[in-house]
Amino acid sequence: MTVDIVAPGWHLAGSPVAQPHGADEELVWRFMQELTTNDAEKLGTWFSDDAMYQNMPLPPAHGREAVTGMLAGLFTVMRIEKVETFHICSRDGLVLTEREDLLTAIPTGKSVALPILGVVSVRDGLITGWRDYFDLRAFEEAVEMSLRG
Ligand SMILES: CCCCCCC(N)=O
């Protein structure tokens, strides 16, 4: 069965919030597309030295090295196939993204389009914080893989 991202009924396709505006949102929009490289080292260069990253149902990573290591660890068990950012908005360097990420679990080969609310803080052209909120149980059941060990 082929899994893909389908724009939800609540997608405000023609609205200004469906496109990035300003340097911070442009940076986050491009970063979300860069995720599909699944290249932890390359993605790590987007972060400040003091950055944090957390998939909210899981523990956080603090510092660019730990952020890069967490991404590298994720990419041993999953691939980010596609990212659709349906809505993006921001104020004072805090960027909110309403997305669906198409994720494939490497051990099972199963995929899921996972709804995610992402919060990204940007300073001087670097990401200082990235927090993704999603239903981990929905992910684990869909791809038949646990991320909690
Ligand atoms: C469910 C695992 C976490 C997802 C990691 C990368 C992403 N935010 O798409």
Side-chain angles (χ1 to χ4, degrees):
M1 176 183 76
T2 304
V3 176
D4 202 353
I5 295 173
V6 177
W10 40 258
H11 182 207
L12 302 168
S15 161
V17 293
Q19 293 300 323
H21 298 272
D24 292 344
E25 292 180 28
E26 293 281 354
L27 182 146
V28 171
W29 187 275
R30 286 186 292 111
F31 176 73
M32 293 303 166
Q33 292 312 309
E34 199 76 2
L35 289 176
T36 59
T37 65
N38 293 274
D39 181 335
E41 289 304 318
K42 189 172 179 183
L43 292 168
T45 65
W46 289 69
F47 291 85
S48 63
D49 288 340
D50 62 346
M52 67 82 62
Y53 167 42
Q54 186 169 7
N55 289 300
M56 297 312 284
L58 301 169
H62 293 280
R64 179 191 292 135
E65 195 173 322
V67 169
T68 303
M70 180 172 284
L71 286 167
L74 280 172
F75 295 146
T76 63
V77 295
M78 73 167 56
R79 278 191 317 276
I80 303 176
E81 313 278 10
K82 184 191 286 188
V83 174
E84 290 286 349
T85 300
F86 295 114
H87 301 135
I88 185 167
C89 57
S90 67
R91 181 172 298 166
D92 297 336
L94 191 79
V95 182
L96 304 181
T97 64
E98 191 167 23
R99 319 190 316 262
E100 281 195 16
D101 293 13
L102 182 60
L103 307 172
T104 297
I106 294 170
T108 65
K110 292 191 178 290
S111 302
V112 64
L114 187 65
I116 298 178
L117 178 72
V119 180
V120 185
S121 49
V122 179
R123 183 187 67 220
D124 301 332
L126 290 174
I127 295 172
T128 60
W130 174 26
R131 293 175 294 284
D132 271 352
Y133 295 77
F134 54 84
D135 182 342
L136 180 57
R137 182 172 173 178
F139 168 81
E140 293 178 326
E141 290 180 351
V143 300
E144 297 174 7
M145 175 181 77
S146 172
L147 281 182
R148 286 172 279 197

